[in-house]
Every structure is written in structure tokens, then in C-alpha cells.
Amino acid sequence: MADEATRTTNENHEARFLKAFEEYSDALFRHAFLRISDRERAVDLVHDTFTKVWSYIRTGHEVTSFKSFLYKVLNNLIIDEYRKHKESSLDALFEVEGIDEGTFTELNADDTDSMIATMDGQRAFELLHQLPDTYKEVLILRYVDELGPKEISDLIEETENVISVRLHRGMKMLRDLVETEEQKAITKRQTQ
Amino acid sequence: MSPFSNQFKKHTNHIRLQADEKRDLHERLVTYMEYHPLPTSMQSKPQAQEKAQSRFALGIRSLNAITFNPKLVGRFVVTASLFMMVGVPVLAERALPGDVLYPMKVQINEEVRASLSFSPYAKIEWETTRLERRLAEARSLASVGRLTNEAEAAVVEAVKKHTSSAQQNIAMLETHNEDEAALASISLVSVLQAQDDIFALEDASEATDSGITEPSTPSLIASAVREAKFNAEAVNDRGQVTPVRLLALIERESTYAQELFAVVKKTATSEEQAAVERRLTDVKRKVEAVQLALAEPAPVEDTVEMATLAVNTDNTDEGATSSRRVSVVPAQDHVLVLKSALTDLRKLINFMTNIDVRQSVSVERLVPISYTVEERRDAVTAKLEEINAIHRDVEGRQPPVEVAERVMQGLVAYQQYMSDINLSLEEGNIQLAEVMVVEAANLIADLKILVGNSPLIETDNTEVSSSSASERIE
């Protein structure tokens, strides 16, 4: 601990910060792009994320884990982005505010795992953009950014139970979308 | 990891920043870090390195007495390397001409950044930044009396070099992206315009301080900037840019200006804060007015068509025709307003970042306030009250015989002005009202000189008693 403190004191803040840029900028961009589907805007959000973190460092704060802090800042910026361009159709249709996600006793710990075991990952990825952001968020954090439920819980400030429920619901929606697409394809082949 | 996870992740791996995107992003970030440096207390301390060095030296000299610690050596080597790779270049960024690290700043740091600018637009932006840096350095040197002839000549050369380089890149950009080239050109012109205005005000301020009333010869640097501005404007006139692109550029500059203001607030007085904040609000208002105009559907009828319709329907009522007359605001006006807003923003940024500019030029003169319509109306009304008070005094006096006729004609003309000013205010033509109120003020001032302290005109017993009383007092 003393060595870490010494290293933090003596090591150049700028060097650490720029190193974090080299290490995480691609992953952050990927996350932002998958969430908002706008490349140029995703680049801007990544830029804003790093400038905000730099401003945070300048005010004397210490960043112990760049990865989690960067994701947290980016996530907040993406939420702000959604608030600015709220799509009334899908988000309103799947409005989750007010729903108590903490008391789903029917949720089995193995439900999500068993659901994804047989799902086509490629098809799921192609249909991901159709999900509301609330579910896209947790799915991308879990299966693209490979964060654990505890990390996701800390990042978006929800309980692990809520995270598990959202993952389950998100996967269920994806599965339904995949099955609907497959059914459409079968019907089309039969009518030809 | 489950097969699903593998498949899912596999299809996202190709989503990453392209090489030029990453470099541009890195450059933007480094620029941001330069403009928002760490406080001195947080920067790498060379003393810590010296201590590590002396510990190491002690270790070397007393190898027999002290156990050689590879970890300590390794840590020192890493720290020293980091300092050389990052610390020295960062320190060099603050160097001025004549300092030891200045060549590193200009020939290494800046050239590295120039080479990392892959997009022509980024190259143009960087050349513009380098130009501003040279000018800021010149001001810093001048403020401490270190701007020698050689240094001044070097800055003049740098102004020409960076402007020329920016324009070459603009010409290259124009071959495949006219829109972006026009935008870059406007950006360059706004920087040069801002600098030209600052130099003009600095020269005027210096002349005032020295008691010189005649216009002074501008410095070599100011002349170079002005010439560069004229050349850039000549090229700029050929290009067209949409208001939307300009709005995006202004948004970026506004964000930067707001961030700067947040920093400046900590040290500026409340008056300085209010002055800068007011001007930032003025810029925001101009931009919002254009955004509103762009958002509304453009009126399509023009004056000719409406007049023709009026004739065809035998509507001979001139008032009705004129009231139906609408005008289309050309898009070019939006561009002019936005260019003006961009130049004001650049000036404010210069003002906030450059202490030498702040010491020699007031923000009031650098960026005049843009008054709202209501403020202008109030100003006209206040001026009217002021000149009407003078008018009442003039009207109440008996002018000397030799000027009586002129005074009478002047008062008639004044009444006409009042009537026209009130009509203009009713119609919302503030600009005309402002012009006429100035003319009316000049007229009544002249009339006041003509009547001087002539005796008051006797109108009724009350006034006669008053005037008699005042005469007795005199």
C-alpha cells in the first residue's frame, strides 16, 4: 500500500492518464457505439469521457481504477444522450421506470444461463439494437465489456438483483426477437 | 465463457477506433490537457527525482556497506525515463523564446503533433493553434521587455509560415471536401480577425497611456497578422459553408470557452466575471436566434409576388399591401451572424487564456456587448427623456433676436424627430430610432448653445413670480 501511494505520488499523472487512454479508448468506443449506433457521436462521447476524467484529476481527486471510473462516466454521458433524444416508440413501450425489479421471486439463478446456452450469438448481436437501452446497457456490459454483475451493479448504481433481472429480461427479449426472425424466414421459404 | 458469449463478443471485436480516429482523439485530448494543465502542486517534482538520484548515488558509493537494491534502481530508471519522455516535453510546453527548452517545444513537440495530425482539418487546426501560441509568446516576452528585434522577426516569420501552411492545407482539403475547407477557412479568418482586433486595441491603449493622440504605426507582428488576415479573407470569400456546420464549430468553441470561464472564475473579480459572462450570453443569444430561424419554415412569399396579388385583387390599400409584405432572410445572413459570434468567442478565449491581453485590453472594448432589443429600446427611451428635458429648457427661454428664427426652425425640426422616433419605436424599428435619437440629441444640444442662458419666457403669473424671485436672488 505504501509502495502504491509512493508510486501514485511520484508517477506522472499525465502518463497514467494517457496510458489509460491507450488501454481503454477502443473498448469505450465499442461500448458507446453499440449503445447509440452513431460512430461520430460515439467518438465524441469517448472524448468527453476522458476530458471529464482529466478535469476530475485536476481537482485533486485520485482515480484508483481507471477502467471502472471511465465506464461510469461514459455510461452517464450515454444516459444523458438518450435523455436528449428520447425515442417515444420503443422506450415508451418498454418503459421500465416504476417497475419494481427487486422482488422477482420467480427468477431462478440459472435461468439466464440456460437461456443463452442455446441462443445464436450472431443473430442476437444483429438484433441487439432493437432492445431498449435499459437492457442493451447491461447486456453489452456483461457480454461485450465482460464486467461481472458486481461491477455492473457498482457502475450503474443498481442492486445485483436488479442487474440479474435486467439481464434475464434482455436475453428473453433477444430470444423472442431471434425466434420471430427465424419464424419469418421459415414462412418466407414455405411460401416461395 | 459460453458459446453464446464467444459468438456475441466475436461479432463486436471489429468495432474499434480507426487509426486516424484514435490519433485525432489523442491529439484533441492532449490539446485539452495543455489548456487545462495540472495545478503546480500536482505536477511531477524534480526534487523527488533528485532524492532518488542521490539515494542511488549513495548506494553506488557504498556498495560494500549498503545492499544494492535492484527494485530501487529499476524504479529510478523507470521514473527518470518517464520524466524524459513525458515530463521534459511537458515542461518544454511552457518555454518561451530564449529558454533552454524552447527548441524542444517548437521543433520536436509541435512537429510531432503536426505529424500525428492525419486529417487535413486537424492539420489546419494545429497550424492555427501554433500561430496563436507564437503570438501569445510574443506578448509574454513584450510584457517583460524581452521581445528583441530577433524575437520579433522570428514571430513575424512564424505568423507567415503557419498561415501559409494552414492555407495550403485548406487548398488541399478543398479538392475533396469543399464544405470542410470553407469551415477551416472561416476558423482561420476568425482567429486572425480576433488577433488583429486585439493588436489594434493594444496599440490604441499604449498610445493613450503615452499621451499620443495620432495613430501609431502598428508593430511588425501586428502588420503581419493583418496581412495574413487579408490574404485569408480573400481566399475565404470563394468558399461557402452551411450554417449547420458553423453551428457545430461554434458549439465546440463555446464548450471550451465555458470550461475556461469555469477556471477563470476562481481568480477573476466579480466585475470581470460578470463582463465575460455577459458576452458569452450574447454569443449564445446570437447562435440561438440563428438556430430558431433555421428551425422555422422559411416564408416563401416575396415582396414582388405579394404586391402583384394585391394589384390583382384590386386591393389598392397601400397599408394592407405593406402589412402583407414579408421578407425572406437569406441564409448568408445567418452565416455572417455566426462568423461574428465565432470571432467574438475567439476573442473571449484569448482574453481568458492570455494574461497579457487581459492587462492591456479591456473586455468591454475587445468584445462590445450585444444589447437585446429590449435593452436598446430602454436606452432609446432613456435618451429621449434626457433630451426632452433639454428641449423643455430651450423651449422655455427667449432666444436672442439674431438667432430666434433659427431656434424656431430647430424646434420644429426637433418635433418632427420626436414624431418619427415614436413611430419607429411603435413599428419596432429600433435601429432607425437609435439613429434619429442621436441626431435629435445633436440638434437640441446646438439649440441649447444658441439660446444659452437667455431669460425664461413669461407664461403665467406663477412663472412670473418665480422668475422675479430668481432674479432677486441673482
Side-chain angles (χ1 to χ4, degrees):
Chain A
M1 187 67 78
D3 286 347
E4 180 70 24
T6 307
R7 192 159 50 244
T8 303
T9 305
N10 290 342
E11 194 174 353
N12 194 292
H13 288 278
E14 284 131 339
R16 280 190 68 219
F17 179 75
L18 290 173
K19 189 181 160 198
F21 172 81
E22 291 303 323
E23 209 172 324
Y24 300 116
S25 55
D26 276 320
L28 291 169
F29 168 76
R30 185 178 307 123
H31 181 94
F33 181 72
L34 286 172
R35 294 276 295 275
I36 66 172
S37 307
D38 182 330
R39 191 178 187 91
E40 213 172 296
R41 194 70 197 113
V43 172
D44 284 342
L45 285 179
V46 171
H47 169 266
D48 291 348
T49 301
F50 277 100
T51 55
K52 279 187 180 301
V53 170
W54 178 249
S55 298
Y56 183 77
I57 293 172
R58 280 184 73 236
T59 52
H61 293 95
E62 188 64 49
V63 178
T64 46
S65 167
F66 267 104
K67 182 179 177 183
S68 54
F69 193 66
L70 284 165
Y71 268 101
K72 196 176 183 82
V73 172
L74 176 66
N75 197 53
N76 287 340
L77 287 172
I78 291 172
I79 290 169
D80 289 344
E81 191 75 8
Y82 265 91
R83 282 187 185 140
K84 271 191 257 175
H85 306 288
K86 186 156 183 160
E87 291 166 330
S88 56
S89 56
L90 206 56
D91 277 335
L93 199 60
F94 292 102
E95 187 62 59
V96 292
E97 286 176 14
I99 295 176
D100 186 356
E101 292 176 301
T103 57
F104 288 95
T105 52
E106 75 276 13
L107 180 64
N108 188 310
D110 297 325
D111 272 358
T112 310
D113 289 340
S114 61
M115 203 187 314
I116 66 174
T118 54
M119 202 186 306
D120 183 340
Q122 180 182 346
R123 296 311 306 280
F125 169 72
E126 287 166 4
L127 297 167
L128 181 68
H129 67 279
Q130 292 191 31
L131 295 186
D133 186 62
T134 310
Y135 301 121
K136 237 185 346 192
E137 179 186 34
V138 291
L139 288 173
I140 293 169
L141 286 169
R142 182 79 183 93
Y143 296 111
V144 177
D145 300 305
E146 295 177 320
L147 299 183
K150 173 76 171 68
E151 287 176 292
I152 299 174
S153 159
D154 289 339
L155 197 154
I156 65 175
E157 293 175 5
E158 293 282 2
T159 63
E160 285 189 56
N161 195 31
V162 167
I163 303 304
S164 300
V165 168
R166 288 189 188 172
L167 279 170
H168 178 83
R169 284 186 166 189
M171 292 307 297
K172 188 169 177 303
M173 276 190 200
L174 266 184
R175 186 189 65 185
D176 291 343
L177 286 171
V178 168
E179 284 173 0
T180 307
E181 288 288 315
E182 283 173 355
Q183 194 55 46
K184 279 184 192 169
I186 292 168
T187 309
K188 195 176 175 185
R189 278 198 295 272
Q190 283 171 349
T191 55
Q192 281 175 350
Chain B
M1 202 186 283
S2 66
F4 166 82
S5 301
N6 284 335
Q7 284 181 333
F8 199 79
K9 195 159 164 52
K10 185 181 159 189
H11 289 284
T12 62
N13 280 343
H14 69 282
I15 300 171
R16 51 177 57 241
L17 289 164
Q18 290 169 3
D20 60 336
E21 278 177 334
K22 194 162 184 174
R23 284 185 197 105
D24 280 349
L25 197 52
H26 184 269
E27 188 181 304
R28 282 165 67 187
L29 201 56
V30 168
T31 305
Y32 185 86
M33 289 163 73
E34 281 188 1
Y35 278 113
H36 301 81
L38 290 171
T40 322
S41 56
M42 286 180 71
Q43 289 171 16
S44 298
K45 290 183 172 45
Q47 291 87 346
Q49 315 310 318
E50 284 173 16
K51 281 183 188 170
Q53 276 183 320
S54 60
R55 278 201 298 273
F56 177 63
L58 195 62
I60 287 288
R61 277 190 231 115
S62 312
L63 274 176
N64 292 328
I66 298 170
T67 308
F68 189 73
N69 190 337
K71 269 192 186 171
L72 191 64
V73 171
R75 197 178 298 164
F76 166 72
V77 168
V78 165
T79 310
S81 304
L82 265 176
F83 181 70
M84 290 307 295
M85 283 192 301
V86 180
V88 168
V90 169
L91 288 173
E93 288 300 299
R94 289 166 184 81
L96 290 177
D99 292 345
V100 169
L101 289 177
Y102 188 71
M104 167 171 260
K105 175 181 179 180
V106 176
Q107 291 160 23
I108 298 177
N109 287 7
E110 290 188 0
E111 290 302 327
V112 165
R113 285 188 60 181
S115 67
L116 289 176
S117 306
F118 272 75
S119 73
Y121 191 83
K123 284 186 193 295
I124 295 160
E125 285 212 317
W126 179 231
E127 289 300 325
T128 311
T129 303
R130 289 178 89 173
L131 165 72
E132 287 192 293
R133 281 177 155 209
R134 297 294 89 80
L135 295 173
E137 286 159 8
R139 288 195 176 94
S140 293
L141 286 175
S143 69
V144 294
R146 279 176 55 192
L147 187 64
T148 60
N149 290 338
E150 290 77 17
E152 191 175 7
V155 173
V156 168
E157 195 53 43
V159 167
K160 289 178 184 169
K161 176 188 161 191
H162 294 309
T163 313
S164 168
S165 182
Q167 285 179 314
Q168 279 171 15
N169 282 300
I170 289 171
M172 273 173 51
L173 187 57
E174 205 173 8
T175 58
H176 59 275
N177 194 333
E178 280 185 17
D179 201 33
E180 203 150 277
L183 195 68
S185 187
I186 286 171
S187 183
L188 175 65
V189 167
S190 72
V191 164
L192 290 167
Q193 178 69 61
Q195 291 291 346
D196 186 34
D197 289 347
I198 292 169
F199 274 115
L201 287 170
E202 281 173 337
D203 286 344
S205 178
E206 203 179 298
T208 306
D209 290 344
S210 313
I212 298 168
T213 52
E214 288 173 8
S216 60
T217 310
S219 66
L220 286 175
I221 298 173
S223 299
V225 166
R226 183 159 295 173
E227 191 183 331
K229 184 195 81 167
F230 287 144
N231 291 338
E233 278 173 340
V235 172
N236 185 43
D237 280 343
R238 292 206 300 266
Q240 293 290 326
V241 70
T242 60
V244 172
R245 291 301 301 271
L246 259 181
L247 281 168
L249 175 60
I250 288 173
E251 193 180 322
R252 206 174 74 197
E253 293 295 310
S254 293
T255 306
Y256 176 55
Q258 289 290 350
E259 286 165 357
L260 262 179
F261 182 54
V263 172
V264 161
K265 260 187 194 175
K266 292 172 191 165
T267 49
T269 63
S270 51
E271 289 81 17
E272 286 168 340
Q273 284 181 44
V276 172
E277 192 159 19
R278 169 57 200 251
R279 282 148 182 85
L280 287 173
T281 307
D282 287 345
V283 167
K284 189 176 166 189
R285 209 175 22 245
K286 281 185 193 173
V287 168
E288 282 174 353
V290 171
Q291 284 173 325
L292 205 62
L294 290 173
E296 285 170 3
V300 295
E301 298 89 358
D302 63 17
T303 56
V304 173
E305 191 176 357
M306 289 307 292
T308 307
L309 279 174
V311 167
N312 287 342
T313 55
D314 288 328
N315 187 347
T316 54
D317 186 350
E318 190 180 352
T321 307
S322 63
S323 69
R324 291 167 68 193
R325 188 170 297 136
V326 292
S327 58
V328 178
V329 179
Q332 207 47 36
D333 284 353
H334 297 322
V335 170
L336 284 173
V337 169
L338 293 176
K339 279 184 188 177
S340 155
L342 181 62
T343 306
D344 284 348
L345 263 179
R346 298 256 192 225
K347 287 186 200 176
L348 283 170
I349 288 168
N350 252 292
F351 184 80
M352 287 190 281
T353 51
N354 198 325
I355 190 170
D356 301 301
V357 170
R358 284 207 297 281
Q359 283 173 350
S360 57
V361 175
S362 71
V363 71
E364 284 77 23
R365 292 185 69 196
L366 185 61
V367 185
I369 288 178
S370 298
Y371 294 100
T372 62
V373 170
E374 290 74 26
E375 285 171 335
R376 289 166 69 187
R377 185 186 290 271
D378 290 344
V380 165
T381 308
K383 190 68 182 172
L384 276 176
E385 280 175 19
E386 187 189 314
I387 62 177
N388 277 335
I390 302 173
H391 168 257
R392 281 192 295 275
D393 180 60
V394 167
E395 206 178 34
R397 293 187 184 271
Q398 184 63 50
V401 171
E402 59 274 19
V403 299
E405 195 178 337
R406 283 172 64 191
V407 169
M408 184 66 66
Q409 288 170 351
L411 287 172
V412 169
Y414 182 82
Q415 289 301 337
Q416 186 59 48
Y417 268 126
M418 290 301 108
S419 171
D420 291 343
I421 289 168
N422 286 324
L423 186 62
S424 298
L425 287 174
E426 279 171 27
E427 289 179 347
N429 194 339
I430 307 296
Q431 192 171 352
L432 184 59
E434 284 168 338
V435 168
M436 286 196 289
V437 89
V438 168
E439 289 175 4
N442 291 338
L443 172 64
I444 206 64
D446 290 341
L447 292 176
K448 176 64 187 164
I449 292 170
L450 286 177
V451 300
N453 287 324
S454 304
L456 293 167
I457 295 170
E458 295 175 359
T459 52
D460 56 29
N461 291 338
T462 309
E463 280 200 359
V464 167
S465 305
S466 302
S467 62
S468 301
S470 64
E471 278 174 7
R472 279 199 295 277
I473 289 167
E474 284 170 9

